Amino acid sequence: MPAAPLKLFREYQSFPQGRNGFKAGMKLEGLDPEHPSRFCVLTVAEVQGYRMRLHFDGYPECYDFWVNADSSDIHPVGWCEKTSHKLLPPKGFKEGEFSWTSYLKNCKAQAAPKSLFKTLSTPVTPSGFRLGMKLEAVDKKNPSLMCVATITDMVDNRLLVHFDNWDESYDYWCEASSPYIRPVGYCQETGTPLTTPPGYRDSKAFSWERYLEETNSQAAPARAFKLRPAHGFQVNMKLEAVDRRNPILIRVATIVDKDDHRIKIHFDGWDRHYDFWVDADSPDVHPVGWCAKTGHALQVPLGAVDRVGAVGQACPTPGCHGIGHVRGPRYGTHYTLVGCPYSEVNLSRENLLQDRLSGERPSPSSSMPKAKRPETPAPFLLGAGESSQEDSSQSRRSAQDSEKSCQSSVHSLSEQSESNQERDWGEEDSFADIKAKQKKLGCSHAYIKFQLVKQESNGKDPDLDLQQALHQSIFMPSLASNPTHRLHLCWEKHCKLLPEVSGLTAKHVAKWTVEEVVSFIQRLPGCKEQASVFREEQIDGEAFLLLNQSDIVKILSIKLGPALKIYNAILMFKSAEDI
């Protein structure tokens, strides 16, 4: 299969002219991908080749995101003030009290040099467009919908599109040549349904002439729209693409479908249900050889090479090497399905990430309001019907990478516990290294915590005999030489110890809701207090069965006594179907 020709890529997708001069710790200003109208204080957290991970100052790392060094979404310190844009200060600063000069001094940090930022050779504002002008635009999160929209910002050659009466999370930046924006009247001319602003009193008899008069606004002139020609990518062409489920990675990819302005990406060797649609001009799509040229690691196709050197625990998902985490960049690695961005349990999860600015967990009615709008096919976007679900799931990508709220009281697969697995793979941290990590992270090492919990429970828990019996049967099952005989012995023994699990199987438990899991935990002896943890972490029956003893003790921060009972119950559910 041929490599996609270089001429098909935009300048910012192709091989960069210079190197990435950004360094970890440098500060800058930039757009929030989840709130595209907001410019924020950012810090370079990590550099990989020509890419870098950016961190919102004052916020948890689960909101970090990746950009290329020549991204149009980032600007040098002071850019907002110079261009009269509002800058959102780090969390904790009140309106008007933030100063870059004092902030850099107090942080002892360096502002990223202006020379590192991309400057357009011809920074011409798109001709004909003005702030406040109205147009018709595709909702990219629900691409079968064409909606009433307004131009609310302009930077260089890009426009910010905002949907009237909808929140800013649906805004997006585009060029004047974008296929997603059309002049007022386009829907009427083509017979395409136009989605009017929510709450508009006369939506069924919507008239642009009346609406423009009511809003005291102008329509963007038709001459300003310069629709770009269709891309030249063809099915079966090869390229390199960022893995949206795990954006630290770039993979070998093949184009498996296309329409006029988008391509469908398939990662070679992976199952088709990981395929996704992306705009042909996306900065996450690159020509063959881009990673080698820029010094970025390239994930080779599954089965292309045999992975060597991995010992001990590894992620059970085929093809996943344990890199990245469903909760985002804070957790560099994982070794369980619960933490794997590619596991079935995480593929189907909804967006439960707290909104960074509101701090509130979105309710089903507010997290995806536009998804409830009546969807009608849009003939101007081939494949829109199919991609609607694809793109909606794409809008939830960061949440799938983060699985749940990063500020929950339970810290799943923490940096500390994940570092333990690295030692399982053959690298031992010295005690000095562990202490250094403790000081840096400001919290105790999970393994030390596990030992302290174990000592505490051994000294105080009244159910010590039960703990020891369960511990022996779970952690030392080799006491019985015959595995089948051992299974029967364990089942008989455990049913006496924990009658609550009798008669239940994994098949039955997998269908449990979160509340049913919570109810079960509450019924286990001595585990009532731990039940709230499972509610906070939204662990349903399927996720419950995926937990191992390390997850329960170190990740959910549950004391050894209750943890043993809970894990024992999981083992019994799984064993019940084999007996």
Side-chain angles (χ1 to χ4, degrees):
M1 297 183 194
L6 204 56
K7 65 182 180 181
L8 300 182
F9 294 88
R10 302 285 295 270
E11 180 185 355
Y12 56 82
Q13 295 173 309
S14 195
F15 303 112
Q17 299 299 315
R19 52 182 281 276
N20 183 358
F22 288 94
K23 299 282 188 286
M26 286 182 174
K27 304 220 177 262
L28 60 151
E29 300 175 359
L31 289 173
D32 177 352
E34 297 299 317
H35 302 88
S37 64
R38 306 292 187 101
F39 292 90
C40 307
V41 173
L42 301 169
T43 300
V44 178
E46 181 180 352
V47 175
Q48 291 284 345
Y50 201 64
R51 302 174 71 223
M52 53 189 179
R53 173 165 62 89
L54 298 180
H55 174 75
F56 293 101
D57 282 25
Y59 290 89
E61 289 179 310
C62 60
Y63 298 108
D64 291 7
F65 62 99
W66 289 84
V67 297
N68 295 332
D70 59 0
S71 171
S72 299
D73 293 339
I74 57 174
H75 303 282
V77 163
W79 180 88
C80 282
E81 184 178 4
K82 183 179 178 182
T83 59
S84 301
H85 283 86
K86 183 179 179 180
L87 177 68
L88 258 65
K91 191 172 185 178
F93 281 83
K94 293 181 181 178
E95 185 97 19
E97 71 177 18
F98 176 79
S99 159
W100 266 119
T101 304
S102 58
Y103 184 65
L104 290 171
K105 184 178 179 180
N106 292 337
C107 293
K108 297 180 180 176
Q110 175 192 1
K114 291 182 180 179
S115 60
L116 300 181
F117 294 86
K118 174 186 178 182
T119 52
L120 294 176
S121 52
T122 53
V124 179
T125 301
S127 175
F129 289 105
R130 297 289 182 273
L131 291 182
M133 282 183 168
K134 302 290 184 184
L135 66 160
E136 297 175 4
V138 176
D139 173 2
K140 292 176 78 171
K141 291 185 177 180
N142 297 277
S144 61
L145 302 180
M146 197 74 156
C147 311
V148 172
T150 304
I151 298 170
T152 53
D153 198 359
M154 299 172 68
V155 174
D156 294 334
N157 63 338
R158 298 198 303 166
L159 315 167
L160 180 63
V161 175
H162 172 75
F163 295 102
D164 290 22
N165 291 5
W166 287 98
D167 71 67
E168 62 180 8
S169 64
Y170 296 95
D171 294 5
Y172 59 83
W173 291 86
C174 67
E175 297 176 4
S177 62
S178 170
Y180 295 116
I181 58 173
R182 299 298 170 101
V184 162
Y186 171 85
C187 285
Q188 186 175 354
E189 290 176 16
T190 59
T192 304
L194 176 67
T195 302
T196 55
Y200 186 68
R201 65 180 182 278
D202 198 11
S203 59
K204 290 185 179 179
F206 179 82
S207 158
W208 264 116
E209 185 178 359
R210 185 169 67 249
Y211 186 69
L212 290 171
E213 186 178 336
E214 290 171 349
T215 55
N216 193 29
S217 54
Q218 288 181 295
R223 61 178 171 79
F225 296 82
K226 308 182 189 310
L227 182 63
R228 73 178 69 123
H231 64 76
F233 291 106
Q234 300 298 321
V235 171
N236 291 330
M237 282 183 175
K238 297 284 187 188
L239 40 76
E240 297 174 6
V242 172
D243 185 342
R244 280 188 171 165
R245 295 198 61 77
N246 203 357
I248 190 175
L249 304 177
I250 295 182
R251 298 188 183 278
V252 171
T254 302
I255 299 172
V256 291
D257 199 359
K258 69 182 181 75
D259 62 23
D260 284 349
H261 302 287
R262 301 176 306 157
I263 54 178
K264 193 173 189 180
I265 297 292
H266 169 73
F267 292 128
D268 290 22
W270 286 81
D271 192 281
R272 294 279 179 186
H273 70 266
Y274 294 109
D275 296 359
F276 61 92
W277 285 91
V278 64
D279 289 339
D281 63 349
S282 166
D284 289 341
V285 172
H286 303 287
V288 168
W290 190 86
C291 282
K293 177 85 171 178
T294 61
H296 195 289
L298 177 67
Q299 305 301 307
V300 296
L302 293 187
V305 295
D306 292 325
R307 190 164 183 249
V308 295
V311 295
Q313 288 179 299
C315 177
T317 303
C320 179
H321 297 161
I323 301 172
H325 196 285
V326 75
R327 287 179 178 269
R330 178 179 179 184
Y331 315 106
T333 55
H334 66 272
Y335 60 89
T336 65
L337 290 173
V338 174
C340 180
Y342 309 102
S343 66
E344 290 291 339
V345 68
N346 290 324
L347 278 176
S348 59
R349 284 196 187 276
E350 292 289 325
N351 184 354
L352 292 178
L353 180 67
Q354 289 176 331
D355 183 271
R356 184 179 67 86
L357 299 180
S358 72
E360 296 177 359
R361 186 185 296 271
S363 64
S365 61
S366 65
S367 60
M368 289 291 289
K370 284 199 175 183
K372 293 184 180 297
R373 300 199 295 200
E375 296 207 6
T376 46
F380 53 88
L381 268 183
L382 294 178
E386 174 190 357
S387 68
S388 177
Q389 183 177 354
E390 299 262 2
D391 288 33
S392 293
S393 65
Q394 166 195 335
S395 72
R396 295 192 293 268
R397 188 70 57 189
S398 64
Q400 289 168 334
D401 286 348
S402 300
E403 183 182 346
K404 296 193 212 63
S405 164
C406 60
Q407 287 189 306
S408 168
S409 59
V410 179
H411 302 289
S412 172
L413 291 182
S414 66
E415 289 173 329
Q416 300 93 328
S417 65
E418 292 293 6
S419 69
N420 287 346
Q421 54 169 299
E422 294 175 8
R423 294 197 296 282
D424 288 338
W425 290 350
E427 286 188 16
E428 280 292 341
D429 281 351
S430 67
F431 183 72
D433 292 336
I434 292 173
K435 295 299 286 183
K437 281 185 182 177
Q438 282 178 241
K439 186 174 181 181
K440 178 184 177 185
L441 297 169
C443 53
S444 62
H445 193 278
Y447 180 74
I448 296 174
K449 184 177 181 181
F450 175 84
Q451 296 300 324
L452 292 174
V453 169
K454 185 175 179 181
Q455 290 169 17
E456 181 184 344
S457 61
N458 282 345
K460 297 179 183 177
D461 200 308
D463 295 328
L464 180 57
D465 292 339
L466 175 58
Q467 288 179 31
Q468 289 176 335
L470 295 177
H471 188 278
Q472 184 182 53
S473 58
I474 294 170
F475 294 97
M476 294 176 282
S478 57
L479 292 176
S481 56
N482 183 295
T484 307
H485 179 57
R486 180 170 72 239
L487 197 60
H488 282 277
L489 284 177
C490 284
W491 178 256
E492 182 180 349
K493 182 179 180 181
H494 292 182
C495 276
K496 292 177 182 177
L497 294 169
L498 295 175
E500 295 79 10
V501 303
S502 184
L504 295 172
T505 66
K507 190 174 181 181
H508 174 80
V509 173
K511 299 176 183 177
W512 282 358
T513 64
V514 173
E515 287 306 314
E516 285 175 309
V517 171
V518 171
S519 177
F520 170 76
I521 299 297
Q522 287 175 332
R523 295 197 304 272
L524 291 177
C527 297
K528 193 170 184 178
E529 292 181 3
Q530 280 70 33
S532 61
V533 171
F534 290 80
R535 181 181 289 113
E536 290 166 4
E537 285 294 285
Q538 291 290 295
I539 295 175
D540 57 15
E542 192 174 3
F544 182 56
L545 292 171
L546 291 173
L547 296 172
N548 61 28
Q549 69 265 31
S550 177
D551 295 333
I552 298 168
V553 176
K554 292 187 284 186
I555 298 162
L556 299 181
S557 301
I558 293 177
K559 289 187 177 182
L560 184 61
L564 288 173
K565 298 168 194 173
I566 294 168
Y567 183 58
N568 174 73
I570 294 172
L571 288 184
M572 292 176 71
F573 292 145
K574 294 178 179 178
S575 302
E577 295 179 354
D578 300 323
I579 293 177

